[in-house]
Amino acid sequence: MKKFVTILLSLGLLLGLSLGVTDTAEAKVKIKTYKNCTALNKDFKGGVARTSKVKNKGGKTKYKPYVSKALYDANKKSDRDKDLIACER
């Protein structure tokens, strides 16, 4: 009987920890819409790219862009040259 209770408590603990980890991972993914490129570049110096496969059409850049489809979509208005990289520098 003690073994059964120990196993049951262990499974409950593991399940509780696994649910807690997913909640914190989802909480970290918060998409922010920036007012302009100056504000976006404070957090992401190279701007935000929609995918890792996009090429910059605007010429040479200093920094590599951060890749995030959701963040790019939220700030699509800041991509003036429509190369799928918002606020590249």
Side-chain angles (χ1 to χ4, degrees), residues 1 5 9-10 18-20 26 30 33-34 48 53 57-58 67 69 73 75 77 79-81 85:
M1 185 70 181
V5 172
L9 286 174
S10 297
S18 66
L19 289 176
E26 289 175 9
K30 187 173 181 182
T33 303
Y34 292 89
V48 177
K53 297 177 180 163
K57 293 180 184 173
V67 178
K69 181 183 183 301
D73 289 342
N75 295 285
K77 65 178 178 21
D79 186 9
R80 292 185 288 171
D81 57 0
I85 305 172

Side-chain angles (χ1 to χ4, degrees), residues 28-45:
K28 288 181 183 178
V29 179
K30 187 173 181 182
I31 304 305
K32 184 176 177 183
T33 303
Y34 292 89
K35 184 177 179 180
N36 54 34
C37 282
T38 304
L40 189 139
N41 287 138
K42 284 182 182 177
D43 292 337
F44 307 99
K45 286 188 177 189

